Amino acid sequence: MIGGLFIYNHKGEVLISRVYRDDIGKRQAADLAVFSSSWPFLEERVNRRNAVDAFRVNVIHARQQVRSPVTNIARTSFFHVKRSNIWLAAVTKQNVNAAMVFEFLYKMCDVMAAYFGKISEENIKNNFVLIYELLDEILDFGYPQNSETGALKTFITQQGIKSQHQTKEEQSQITSQVTGQIGWRREGIKYRRNELFLDVLESVNLLMSPQGQVLSAHVSGRVVMKSYLSGMPECKFGMNDKIVIEKQGKGTADETSKSGKQSIAIDDCTFHQCVRLSKFDSERSISFIPPDGEFELMRYRTTKDIILPFRVIPLVREVGRTKLEVKVVIKSNFKPSLLAQKIEVRIPTPLNTSGVQVICMKGKAKYKASENAIVWKIKRMAGMKESQISAEIELLPTNDKKKWARPPISMNFEVPFAPSGLKVRYLKVFEPKLNYSDHDVIKWVRYIGRSGIYETRC
Amino acid sequence: MTDSKYFTTTKKGEIFELKAELNSDKKEKKKEAVKKVIASMTVGKDVSALFPDVVNCMQTDNLELKKLVYLYLMNYAKSQPDMAIMAVNTFVKDCEDPNPLIRALAVRTMGCIRVDKITEYLCEPLRKCLKDEDPYVRKTAAVCVAKLHDINAQLVEDQGFLDTLKDLISDSNPMVVANAVAALSEIAESHPSSNLLDLNPQSINKLLTALNECTEWGQIFILDCLANYTPKDDREAQSICERVTPRLSHANSAVVLSAVKVLMKFMEMLSKDLDYYGTLLKKLAPPLVTLLSAEPELQYVALRNINLIVQKRPEILKHEMKVFFVKYNDPIYVKLEKLDIMIRLASQANIAQVLAELKEYATEVDVDFVRKAVRAIGRCAIKVEQSAERCVSTLLDLIQTKVNYVVQEAIVVIKDIFRKYPNKYESVIATLCENLDSLDEPEARAAMIWIVGEYAERIDNADELLESFLEGFHDESTQVQLQLLTAIVKLFLKKPTETQELVQQVLSLATQDSDNPDLRDRGYIYWRLLSTDPVAAKEVVLAEKPLISEETDLIEPTLLDELICYIGTLASVYHKPPSAFVEGGRGVVHKSLPPRTASNESTESPETAPAGAPSGEQPDVIPSQGDLLGDLLNLDLGPPVSGPPLATSSVQMGAVDLLGGGLDSLIGAPNFVTPPAATAPANLGAPMGSGLSDLFDLTSGVGALSGSYVAPKAVGSISMDLQLTNKALQVMTDFAIQFNRNSFGLAPAAPLQVHAPLSPNQTVELSLPLSTVGSVMKMEPLNNLQVAVKNNIDVFYFSTLYPLHILFVEDGKMDRQVFLATWKDIPNENEAQFQIRDCPLNAEAVSSRLQSSNIFTVAKRTVEGQDMLYQSLKLTNGIWVLAELRIQPGNPSFTLSLKCRAPEVAQHVYQAYETILKN
């Protein structure tokens, strides 16, 4: 299991260090000395004391780009993730479950963010006592324990709980929640207005050849729910999943053919731990008791019948050795009544570019020398429209033998629909103990489609 | 309120100030002081001097302060064991606190104080907490048992905590169950033999129930534990699989991977004909693909595991090629792994797409990635024959880019393509030769030299090209030197007239001026071959090359099976068994996949390159004498040998001192390009012998085992006397022996008994009983026996010649009449005549001596003063040999005429006569 957890700033200084197992930090110095002889970049720093330094020397201060998120130094394995300037590293000497360690590190970041916002050096220093308290609670002897912020916040607070202020009922309520089957929600939540928000957030990914052939395309989507519901509500979520629709439509063949068009084939989906997986496996129904507030209900992936909101048509022509002519056309491919926003097309330019002239029909385009790209921005664009940019790129003559790699043209945008075609059919809420019904709950649904990695090779 | 101010106090006398503050009466001030102490501790300052003062603050009802003090205690208790006892009372008291959070906190912290003296005091509180009414306390106590076990295993056993822990598996609270499982699994790991985790269908059922209810982390503990269970039959395996599959939709990737592990393992037991087997295969693909949309670090872990899964069960992901296409912004470690999997999944169906992608990648920035992409193109050519032509033209395009490392990488892979498809793409040689000067990496230079040597007859200026390399011969790396030597010898054999000078030059460079034993010996071999028998040299050097394998760097099947049992863990990320990176006894229990119980088909596994493949190529075909290496490796060697799997790449020299001394066979030599088994010349001459036996001493470090074959005992049962000398620097254990098929079906009748480990330079002598019931294959020479001796280090190959008389059987006396009839019946061409010189014995003595070796005198005649002995003998395989021995009294030379239906044996029977009569 995890032997220790360290948080470093970008200089490699330790901000937090929590050692769970004896084997970490012990004997490291000797091991490291042996190791250094075969590893050139360790050099003078080898006589430092322990695992903490080993990681700093080998990863944070390494001269090369990090080649693996898992590093084995002197029989000690380091897992690291980086959030802005902060490094989180878990250390172990055993054959641990590697996927679990990374999941835990991400979770750790989520928990910290939920408590004090952005993970920065300042925030970590400001909250170090809290972080130690959290680390004590969510990792015991290196075993991850309940790490749902909803539950943690009931008994780990920044104010500090004085034990005599809690009643016995409160205490046992806390413990039963932390260990209970519904560890993500506490009892006795009350709202005057029962309300819920569903966001279907999709990111559409595309890789297209210069000839307009789709090399790969997929949508990875998330259903994010914000629930403000009283009590312990039982929820059931339905969408136009092809398998469900076809199952229901068995009786009336007519309906199947009609709704069949609107249903979508989901390649795979994963759920928040509140969803009863065995029920999904047997009946394909999504039922759960939601955590309070915002959480990610499900993630899914589709690859069939994706609506590609934009098509990029590139044309690059080399005129002699010192000039490039680029013409890029973008076409929007959705209902004319809808508006796409925040459109940005990024056209890479060679490293030896000396000057660029751009003409575009719509929006603004600029050559950004520091990014080696022409960035073309359009605020809004309706469906079924097209726009064009042309540029002349002057090149400095070089004797560099290596050809310019021609990175793909990438695009960013936001559209008010789900490119996968996913539709929310219902979200039913039952709370048998309290006197509100499904009809009393105010529900909001919103669809946002964003570009993921949306690239066209040129 | 911000805490950062605690980090900034750097005044002098800090410790003193803190001491004062800690002893302050004001609670707030105390708390502030403790925070400062913790801050100092974090940045690595030594604040252990404050121990008593901090412990004094422990008695508080402020939970936050208490936690801080506990944190301090955990850090420093070890360095102040005596003081730590001061804290015991508070712990014991806290374990009785009405607040379950405090009880749990106390029991959690207690276990982290790793001081032997304290542990005894902790047993009572822990016992209570394990039975606490509050599940939060119980789940914490369960982990505490593991902590205590880590400090003092004996104490935990004596106190009966293990039984209490086992009971917790049936606890009503799923989180308690999960933590108990985690603790038990860890304890069980350090006691591999104990039956701690007594998994049976009932307890499995409990675990599966808890699986649906506990936290994501708990699910991981339970799934990892389930993976260690071996179901009793395929039905149980299937029912567990059915209950585990829903986990594949969990948002936590670790839960998904652990579920995949359980399924991959239990699938092994399911019959392939089962509908469910197919369903399961289909269900596995989507979650694996989904893992690729996780954060990059997890993607990396997932990809390393997918790499294993693709090798084990290629059918799962065969249609998912596209998801492994590299994205421009992927971190480099993800890119490299994706590329690896792409090559494994490449097939005729998707090759066009793959090639287009690879061509894109070859123009990227990262050097490692580009190299790998170029190499991948070559591998596609070898794997999918239909694509070879397109691959070659793609590679030529890349060579035109003149980017140095791309060109070099391309040449290395083109060499392999030439190997795979000889005489097909030679038209590109001219283009390759243009780039000769830009090659500065040894591998590329060696590849180019190989190409020039191999196609010397088609390259007009081959001699000039090779000569140009020769100038800096001693500055080249060994790889290039060896290749250059072979290439020039090839050239000489193809164009002997013009290149005599060149070949002499290279041979003298290799043999006289080099310190490298490999190079020197290869030089000697070529030299002698060329000077004694140029025809043989041609056969050896220009022999048809063994096919090269389609798949390279596959993981060895037993290791792969073991790694499948470790899906999701570090072992699967490193592609190494845990013993390779975990210290001590922990986690080094060897795991293996369960055998299939229902159907009788054997578990199929992908082909791997056997050991002894020169330069990583698989000798699918070894000319002559069958595929010795392959055969020996595929057979089970004696008793099962535990320990790390054998390294696949090392090649050992096997040379045997036969009876009189002198070398008889070379089975393999590192870096040989020419097929090694083809060289079996017994006529290498005496000087060679000394040269090669030197080699044994030079291979130190690799771990060489030298064995010599001592004359076998002739009578009664057949046995082989062996003398094993360990000339390596390492202790050798786990010996086993195996014979290759041979002419008379000799096989060990008992396992090789080497009782004690063989330490360096130690010699052991033993006698191995033999039987003649093994499988038969005609060997050249007839009495050649190829032996493999395996131990913990490697497999060593020897070959030896045995005297034929060990095979003469006792009932070899033929009836007179039958003898006469048979003698006449055997055609005269089958008669062979030999002279036995310098034998001082008379007919009587000869007869009796031969009889003791089961050569029986059927009749005796005296003709013209000569004694004629008519003799018969029978071999173990029923072949009769008839002999006429003519002895002239006073003349020490005898004449031996042999007649046999299998005339090949005559020469060896004659040798047997010689041996018997002269000893």
Side-chain angles (χ1 to χ4, degrees):
Chain A
M1 282 304 116
I2 297 173
L5 204 138
F6 305 107
I7 302 181
Y8 300 83
N9 65 9
H10 67 286
K11 290 184 219 153
E13 290 164 350
V14 181
L15 303 178
I16 297 286
S17 94
R18 177 75 164 88
V19 175
Y20 295 94
R21 300 256 171 163
D22 236 16
D23 51 5
I24 300 304
K26 206 173 54 176
R27 283 216 310 261
Q28 235 74 6
D31 287 342
L32 213 53
V34 174
F35 189 73
S36 69
S37 54
S38 61
W39 219 234
F41 53 81
L42 271 179
E43 291 169 348
E44 73 282 357
R45 294 171 171 273
V46 289
N47 49 358
R48 294 295 199 76
R49 64 192 158 108
N50 56 23
V52 183
D53 301 292
F55 181 76
R56 164 169 53 239
V57 172
N58 285 287
V59 179
I60 302 181
H61 289 166
R63 291 188 192 148
Q64 284 180 311
Q65 194 193 351
V66 185
R67 291 267 143 174
S68 155
V70 189
T71 328
N72 193 306
I73 307 165
R75 292 196 153 225
T76 308
S77 298
F78 294 79
F79 299 77
H80 70 264
V81 299
K82 212 180 161 199
R83 290 286 181 271
S84 65
N85 272 334
I86 299 296
W87 299 75
L88 277 90
V91 186
T92 182
K93 288 206 138 191
Q94 297 174 326
N95 181 30
V96 296
N97 188 322
M100 184 188 79
V101 176
F102 279 123
E103 282 285 3
F104 176 79
L105 287 174
Y106 302 143
K107 194 64 164 204
M108 176 77 205
C109 294
D110 292 349
V111 170
M112 289 198 292
Y115 268 96
F116 53 75
K118 191 172 173 274
I119 296 173
S120 63
E121 182 170 352
E122 205 193 343
N123 276 346
I124 286 172
K125 280 189 171 173
N126 283 342
N127 293 283
F128 84 96
V129 173
L130 171 75
I131 294 174
Y132 276 123
E133 211 177 313
L134 285 170
L135 281 177
D136 199 38
E137 183 58 43
I138 60 180
L139 208 53
D140 191 5
F141 201 44
Y143 293 110
Q145 304 292 309
N146 191 341
S147 45
E148 285 301 311
T149 37
L152 288 172
K153 279 189 171 170
T154 57
F155 68 106
I156 295 180
T157 61
Q158 279 162 299
Q159 284 79 43
I161 299 172
K162 293 191 173 61
S163 58
Q164 73 266 35
H165 292 180
Q166 283 175 316
T167 63
K168 199 146 190 244
E169 288 76 54
E170 277 171 351
Q171 288 162 4
S172 69
Q173 200 192 324
I174 289 169
T175 59
S176 75
Q177 195 208 329
V178 173
T179 60
Q181 291 186 21
I182 306 160
W184 51 87
R185 188 181 181 93
R186 65 188 167 90
E187 298 216 26
I189 297 173
K190 279 219 170 70
Y191 287 101
R192 208 163 49 82
R193 206 159 91 126
N194 288 301
E195 204 170 11
L196 67 85
F197 300 86
L198 271 180
D199 282 347
V200 177
L201 305 170
E202 292 194 342
S203 94
V204 50
N205 298 276
L206 169 76
L207 185 63
M208 196 175 251
S209 76
Q211 293 76 34
Q213 185 196 354
V214 177
L215 296 174
S216 74
H218 75 271
V219 167
S220 55
R222 305 187 298 143
V223 178
V224 175
M225 182 170 169
K226 259 182 245 167
S227 72
Y228 304 104
L229 300 170
S230 312
M232 295 298 250
E234 182 71 40
C235 299
K236 209 173 165 189
F237 174 68
M239 54 187 177
N240 56 342
D241 177 2
K242 200 171 191 172
I243 298 174
V244 177
I245 304 269
E246 275 171 13
K247 223 197 258 173
Q248 288 174 344
K250 254 179 205 163
T252 51
D254 197 31
E255 204 180 42
T256 316
S257 60
K258 221 199 289 172
S259 59
K261 270 183 208 159
Q262 291 158 6
S263 67
I264 61 160
I266 293 176
D267 287 25
D268 190 37
C269 46
T270 59
F271 297 99
H272 185 265
Q273 59 167 322
C274 66
V275 176
R276 293 181 190 93
L277 293 180
S278 39
K279 213 160 180 188
F280 178 74
D281 196 55
S282 55
E283 304 163 23
R284 223 174 155 88
S285 74
I286 304 164
S287 60
F288 55 97
I289 295 172
D292 194 39
E294 185 172 327
F295 73 103
E296 188 181 288
L297 176 64
M298 73 179 279
R299 274 178 191 234
Y300 57 92
R301 189 165 47 81
T302 71
T303 47
K304 289 201 187 71
D305 304 323
I306 294 168
I307 308 155
L308 295 170
F310 284 96
R311 164 101 204 265
V312 177
I313 304 154
L315 201 76
V316 181
R317 208 159 64 93
E318 287 176 40
V319 187
R321 293 197 59 203
T322 56
K323 204 166 143 191
L324 276 181
E325 277 180 11
V326 180
K327 196 173 109 179
V328 176
V329 180
I330 58 167
K331 283 183 180 169
S332 59
N333 176 33
F334 45 86
K335 270 190 238 162
S337 56
L338 298 175
L339 274 182
Q341 286 183 307
K342 300 177 192 166
I343 302 149
E344 185 186 295
V345 183
R346 188 170 280 264
I347 305 160
T349 56
L351 295 174
N352 54 338
T353 301
S354 61
V356 177
Q357 269 128 33
V358 216
I359 311 160
C360 57
M361 286 157 47
K362 216 175 165 199
K364 277 180 194 160
K366 226 184 214 170
Y367 167 61
K368 293 196 173 167
S370 59
E371 295 165 36
N372 289 312
I374 299 166
V375 181
W376 175 26
K377 286 183 179 170
I378 304 169
K379 272 189 189 144
R380 251 171 247 108
M381 188 164 168
M384 306 316 262
K385 288 262 163 41
E386 103 173 42
S387 189
Q388 178 180 324
I389 183 171
S390 31
E392 274 185 26
I393 303 170
E394 304 277 345
L395 302 176
L396 290 171
T398 56
N399 46 9
D400 193 0
K401 272 188 196 160
K402 203 183 162 189
K403 257 176 48 187
W404 176 48
R406 283 204 186 180
I409 295 174
S410 58
M411 227 193 135
N412 287 313
F413 53 80
E414 201 180 291
V415 288
F417 61 91
S420 70
L422 182 131
K423 290 261 166 6
V424 175
R425 289 171 59 222
Y426 57 81
L427 198 145
K428 292 177 194 153
V429 182
F430 311 94
E431 168 55 80
K433 284 182 196 155
L434 298 174
N435 56 348
Y436 72 91
S437 72
D438 187 35
H439 301 292
D440 303 329
V441 181
I442 305 158
K443 300 167 189 171
W444 305 87
V445 181
R446 177 164 70 154
Y447 299 91
I448 300 172
R450 290 198 184 98
S451 52
I453 294 164
Y454 203 84
E455 293 177 338
T456 308
R457 289 184 177 154
C458 58
Chain B
M1 182 186 69
T2 70
D3 294 341
S4 56
K5 59 177 184 282
Y6 305 116
F7 285 96
T8 56
T9 48
T10 50
K11 282 174 276 172
K12 269 188 184 171
E14 194 184 9
I15 299 278
F16 184 77
E17 255 175 50
L18 283 171
K19 213 180 177 89
E21 283 175 40
L22 285 170
N23 291 317
S24 147
D25 297 331
K26 285 181 192 146
K27 270 187 186 171
E28 264 320 292
K29 205 157 193 179
K30 254 189 188 173
K31 199 161 119 185
E32 296 291 285
V34 176
K35 281 189 180 181
K36 278 183 202 164
V37 172
I38 302 287
S40 307
M41 195 173 85
T42 300
V43 297
K45 277 183 210 158
D46 184 15
V47 284
S48 58
L50 296 168
F51 201 90
D53 309 281
V54 178
V55 172
N56 274 338
C57 303
M58 202 168 154
Q59 290 283 5
T60 172
D61 52 6
N62 184 315
L63 200 54
E64 192 185 3
L65 180 57
K66 205 181 245 322
K67 281 180 178 171
L68 288 173
V69 175
Y70 280 178
L71 191 63
Y72 179 90
L73 266 177
M74 285 185 265
N75 246 336
Y76 286 113
K78 201 138 200 214
S79 56
Q80 312 257 344
D82 296 321
M83 303 272 231
I85 294 201
M86 288 164 55
V88 167
N89 259 334
T90 323
F91 281 129
V92 176
K93 222 179 104 202
D94 278 356
C95 282
E96 310 269 341
D97 197 280
N99 185 341
L101 290 173
I102 296 212
R103 292 202 297 275
L105 179 65
V107 77
R108 187 163 66 211
T109 314
M110 254 165 38
C112 297
I113 296 179
R114 308 179 54 89
V115 177
D116 259 338
K117 280 183 193 163
I118 290 192
T119 45
E120 295 166 37
Y121 298 99
L122 303 183
C123 292
E124 274 324 297
L126 177 58
R127 198 187 313 281
K128 261 183 215 152
C129 288
L130 279 168
K131 305 234 156 101
D132 200 285
E133 51 166 23
D134 195 296
Y136 184 77
V137 180
R138 289 202 301 277
K139 71 114 184 159
T140 313
V143 176
C144 190
V145 176
K147 293 178 186 169
L148 197 59
H149 185 269
D150 197 38
I151 308 169
N152 191 341
Q154 196 57 46
L155 186 73
V156 170
E157 274 168 54
D158 295 347
Q159 295 278 337
F161 285 142
L162 294 182
D163 294 323
T164 325
L165 203 53
K166 276 193 217 166
D167 295 341
L168 287 184
I169 289 193
S170 317
D171 199 281
S172 57
N173 185 294
M175 197 158 173
V176 177
V177 178
N179 276 4
V181 166
L184 276 174
S185 301
E186 182 168 345
I187 295 171
E189 236 171 54
S190 52
H191 295 277
S193 51
S194 76
N195 199 19
L196 249 184
L197 262 171
D198 178 28
L199 293 177
N200 50 49
Q202 289 78 41
S203 58
I204 290 292
N205 198 30
K206 278 177 202 154
L207 292 184
L208 286 168
T209 311
L211 187 61
N212 288 328
E213 292 163 353
C214 63
T215 65
E216 45 194 334
W217 314 115
Q219 295 184 18
I220 299 169
F221 305 152
I222 291 176
L223 287 168
D224 284 351
C225 173
L226 275 178
N228 290 328
Y229 175 66
T230 310
K232 62 180 190 308
D233 55 24
D234 53 338
R235 286 172 69 190
E236 193 187 359
Q238 180 176 345
S239 85
I240 295 176
C241 287
E242 279 165 359
R243 293 179 69 178
V244 167
T245 28
R247 298 299 119 197
L248 293 175
S249 312
H250 203 285
N252 188 315
S253 308
V255 175
V256 176
L257 267 179
S258 290
V260 168
K261 165 164 60 192
V262 174
L263 296 175
M264 282 293 287
K265 205 178 160 186
F266 289 4
M267 227 165 141
E268 207 57 31
M269 299 182 67
L270 301 176
S271 158
K272 283 192 167 164
D273 316 325
L274 227 58
D275 286 346
Y276 182 71
Y277 181 87
T279 320
L280 200 55
L281 274 185
K282 269 189 217 124
K283 277 194 174 172
L284 274 171
L288 286 173
V289 173
T290 299
L291 290 176
L292 297 183
S293 46
E295 288 85 343
E297 291 87 2
L298 266 175
Q299 274 187 53
Y300 175 73
V301 173
L303 284 164
R304 293 292 284 176
N305 280 289
I306 289 171
N307 199 327
L308 296 175
I309 293 166
V310 165
Q311 288 184 56
K312 182 73 192 165
R313 300 195 179 278
E315 62 271 34
I316 295 180
L317 287 167
K318 66 177 175 216
H319 299 302
E320 302 287 351
M321 171 61 92
K322 275 189 179 177
V323 298
F324 297 104
F325 284 178
V326 169
K327 291 181 190 142
Y328 193 71
N329 294 326
D330 280 336
I332 182 68
Y333 50 81
V334 170
K335 283 185 178 174
L336 291 171
E337 289 308 315
K338 281 187 174 174
L339 193 50
D340 221 46
I341 295 167
M342 275 173 69
I343 303 164
R344 293 196 195 287
L345 290 177
S347 67
Q348 205 186 327
N350 56 26
I351 195 74
Q353 269 185 326
V354 173
L355 264 183
E357 282 293 309
L358 291 176
K359 205 175 166 184
E360 287 288 330
Y361 304 162
T363 59
E364 283 225 28
V365 197
D366 191 283
V367 178
D368 283 352
F369 181 62
V370 171
R371 280 173 179 277
K372 202 164 181 174
V374 176
R375 208 159 268 229
I377 297 174
R379 274 169 67 184
C380 287
I382 290 163
K383 204 173 166 187
V384 187
E385 191 167 351
Q386 293 79 356
S387 75
E389 201 159 338
R390 290 171 62 186
C391 294
V392 171
S393 75
T394 309
L395 287 169
L396 283 180
D397 288 351
L398 290 172
I399 289 176
Q400 297 303 347
T401 63
K402 302 277 178 199
V403 179
N404 192 283
Y405 55 85
V406 175
V407 174
Q408 309 212 38
E409 208 63 45
I411 286 183
V412 172
V413 296
I414 286 179
K415 180 203 78 179
D416 286 342
I417 297 177
F418 282 176
R419 277 291 300 276
K420 172 86 180 183
Y421 311 107
N423 306 318
K424 212 167 166 192
Y425 299 108
E426 280 66 35
S427 52
V428 309
I429 291 176
T431 321
L432 302 184
C433 288
E434 284 166 22
N435 292 287
L436 211 58
D437 300 332
S438 63
L439 309 179
D440 52 12
E441 290 162 21
E443 206 183 349
R445 285 173 85 86
M448 193 63 220
I449 293 169
W450 184 87
I451 293 171
V452 174
E454 190 63 22
Y455 297 100
E457 68 272 29
R458 311 193 187 194
I459 305 170
D460 297 335
N461 60 343
D463 49 342
E464 282 169 38
L465 293 176
L466 292 175
E467 200 171 1
S468 68
F469 282 102
L470 213 51
E471 281 162 23
F473 188 77
H474 290 297
D475 302 327
E476 300 282 3
S477 72
T478 311
Q479 192 183 10
V480 180
Q481 289 176 332
L482 285 168
Q483 209 52 261
L484 196 50
L485 173 62
T486 307
I488 292 180
V489 172
K490 280 183 191 164
L491 173 69
F492 171 70
L493 290 167
K494 289 174 177 174
K495 299 179 179 174
T497 46
E498 310 129 59
T499 54
Q500 200 154 4
E501 218 171 284
L502 193 61
V503 79
Q504 262 162 4
Q505 200 185 342
V506 77
L507 286 175
S508 84
L509 278 171
T511 52
Q512 284 157 26
D513 304 337
S514 170
D515 296 334
N516 185 320
D518 285 349
L519 185 64
R520 222 169 46 207
D521 289 330
R522 193 186 286 197
Y524 276 127
I525 289 173
Y526 285 149
W527 202 324
R528 291 210 164 70
L529 267 174
L530 292 173
S531 55
T532 50
D533 191 352
V535 180
K538 214 162 190 166
E539 271 171 31
V540 170
V541 180
L542 302 181
E544 204 169 297
K545 268 155 287 294
L547 289 177
I548 63 170
S549 144
E550 290 176 3
E551 298 279 351
T552 43
D553 56 68
L554 282 176
I555 294 174
E556 197 255 331
T558 50
L559 177 61
L560 180 62
D561 284 355
E562 190 182 352
L563 291 179
I564 290 289
C565 303
Y566 288 116
I567 284 178
T569 68
L570 265 179
S572 72
V573 175
Y574 294 147
H575 287 186
K576 284 178 191 161
S579 54
F581 59 91
V582 175
E583 266 171 22
R586 274 209 171 155
V588 291
V589 195
H590 187 86
K591 292 193 187 179
S592 57
L593 291 174
R596 186 161 300 162
T597 49
S599 68
N600 54 1
E601 60 185 304
S602 61
T603 39
E604 96 293 27
S605 52
E607 262 186 62
T608 17
S615 51
E617 292 147 357
Q618 177 178 3
D620 274 344
V621 185
I622 296 178
S624 87
Q625 300 190 356
D627 41 351
L628 161 74
L629 292 173
D631 248 4
L632 284 171
L633 284 163
N634 291 338
L635 294 168
D636 275 332
L637 279 166
V641 181
S642 58
L646 300 159
T648 50
S649 62
S650 64
V651 179
Q652 297 294 333
M653 297 282 287
V656 171
D657 198 6
L658 165 84
L659 298 170
L663 179 108
D664 83 357
S665 171
L666 251 182
I667 291 195
N671 299 330
F672 264 45
V673 168
T674 48
T679 47
N683 55 350
L684 278 179
M688 272 311 297
S690 62
L692 277 154
S693 55
D694 268 354
L695 243 169
F696 270 123
D697 299 329
L698 291 164
T699 47
S700 61
V702 183
L705 170 89
S706 115
S708 60
Y709 182 86
V710 180
K713 290 169 195 156
V715 227
S717 60
I718 309 167
S719 67
M720 178 160 99
D721 292 352
L722 289 144
Q723 187 180 4
L724 300 172
T725 308
N726 181 356
K727 291 200 173 170
L729 301 170
Q730 237 179 306
V731 173
M732 294 178 171
T733 54
D734 306 325
F735 280 92
I737 195 165
Q738 181 105 44
F739 292 175
N740 191 15
R741 287 183 289 172
N742 54 66
S743 315
F744 296 96
L746 282 174
L752 189 62
Q753 303 280 351
V754 182
H755 294 292
L758 201 57
S759 43
N761 276 325
Q762 197 192 348
T763 298
V764 64
E765 286 183 31
L766 22 103
S767 180
L768 179 74
L770 304 182
S771 69
T772 53
V773 293
S775 42
V776 177
M777 180 177 69
K778 195 176 168 190
M779 299 295 286
E780 188 57 42
L782 203 63
N783 58 342
N784 191 8
L785 178 65
Q786 296 176 329
V787 182
V789 176
K790 177 178 158 180
N791 63 16
N792 60 324
I793 297 175
D794 211 320
V795 185
F796 300 83
Y797 302 99
F798 302 93
S799 98
T800 179
L801 300 179
Y802 49 88
L804 211 63
H805 60 271
I806 59 169
L807 300 168
F808 299 170
V809 295
E810 278 160 338
D811 58 345
K813 184 160 185 172
M814 208 178 242
D815 183 76
R816 264 174 179 242
Q817 298 305 319
V818 181
F819 184 88
L820 260 175
T822 316
W823 185 272
K824 280 185 191 155
D825 197 19
I826 297 174
N828 278 340
E829 318 69 287
N830 280 14
E831 184 169 353
Q833 215 164 57
F834 303 94
Q835 292 290 320
I836 300 170
R837 292 174 210 285
D838 302 326
C839 185
L841 303 170
N842 62 24
E844 281 304 328
V846 167
S847 186
S848 70
R849 186 175 283 196
L850 289 174
Q851 177 131 16
S852 65
S853 291
N854 292 340
I855 302 175
F856 303 93
T857 306
V858 179
K860 188 182 162 191
R861 237 173 13 140
T862 310
V863 184
E864 297 160 6
Q866 297 181 352
D867 287 325
M868 307 288 279
L869 296 176
Y870 295 95
Q871 299 173 317
S872 72
L873 62 95
K874 195 172 101 178
L875 298 174
T876 46
N877 56 356
I879 292 179
W880 285 92
V881 180
L882 282 61
E884 181 199 56
L885 190 64
R886 191 182 306 165
I887 303 170
Q888 263 180 318
N891 184 350
S893 283
F894 303 163
T895 308
L896 176 69
S897 300
L898 295 174
K899 264 192 161 184
C900 176
R901 292 192 198 276
E904 306 91 334
V905 303
Q907 173 72 27
H908 303 287
V909 173
Y910 156 65
Q911 277 165 7
Y913 264 86
E914 280 256 10
T915 318
I916 300 164
L917 291 176
K918 288 183 178 168
N919 283 330

